Amino acid sequence: MRYFSLMLFVFCQFSCNQQQENERIVLQNQIDSLRSRLDSSYTPGLGEFMSSIQVHHAKLWFAGKNSNWDLADFEMGEIRETIADINKYCTNRPEITSLPMIEPSLDSLTTAITRKNIESFKNSFTLLTNTCNSCHKVTKHSFNVIKIPDIPPVTNQVFENPNP
Ligand code: HEC
């Protein structure tokens, strides 16, 4: 009887360990499959983020120029969000160490927008545009020249202040 109990105990131990090992293998397979899905998941490149900034830069100009301060403030938020995304998703690009140079011009635009001051908005916007180009120069992309836009980037959005 004693012998039988001992055998039963050993057998239980063995099957228990076997079950744990099986569960470990299943979990490891799940981790491996999630890892490979992460590696192949799509993240936008720096050029795509820049194209987005380009549109917000243009919209910001027409918003500010028309004293549409709520829209201008919104466009600033979009630019700042895109910069945060660049810092998060483009860590493989050495150029992003130059990104902080854009901050002073963004801060000065925020001040101009808060004060609803069109002259200081225009000056700060020029500073921002010059900074885009300075960064393109230091990152060897001086062929990407940004300027203050002449016409709105889209025709299906109103830039005038709807609640003057
Ligand atoms: C880190 C410094 C830096 C700053 C600041 C910066 N850029 Fe760029 N920009 C780059 C780099 C690097 C590229 C090239 C990206 C690539 O390899 O696709 C680029 C590319 C671009 C492009 C070309 C995108 C394309 O694929 O056609 C545009 C447009 C652009 N930037 C607009 C702007 C605007 C507008 C600003 C300012 C509001 C700005 N950038 C600020 C570094 C910067």
Side-chain angles (χ1 to χ4, degrees), residues 66-106:
N66 287 296
S67 300
N68 189 347
W69 302 116
D70 285 345
L71 180 61
D73 185 49
F74 175 83
E75 296 299 342
M76 284 294 296
E78 297 296 294
I79 293 176
R80 286 196 197 269
E81 262 177 35
T82 311
I83 287 171
D85 284 343
I86 292 175
N87 279 319
K88 188 169 169 191
Y89 295 110
C90 301
T91 45
N92 59 332
R93 295 290 301 253
E95 296 98 325
I96 68 165
T97 53
S98 303
L99 208 49
M101 74 162 74
I102 203 171
E103 295 299 333
S105 60
L106 293 180

Side-chain angles (χ1 to χ4, degrees), residues 45-55 57-58 79 83 86 93 95-102 106 128-129 131-136 138-141 143-147:
L46 183 55
E48 281 151 282
F49 285 122
M50 283 292 156
S51 298
S52 163
I53 289 184
Q54 177 180 28
V55 174
H57 170 268
I79 293 176
I83 287 171
I86 292 175
R93 295 290 301 253
E95 296 98 325
I96 68 165
T97 53
S98 303
L99 208 49
M101 74 162 74
I102 203 171
L106 293 180
L128 172 67
T129 309
T131 312
C132 305
N133 290 324
S134 305
C135 198
H136 290 165
V138 293
T139 57
K140 303 193 171 58
H141 285 87
F143 49 87
N144 271 325
V145 183
I146 305 301
K147 67 178 191 105

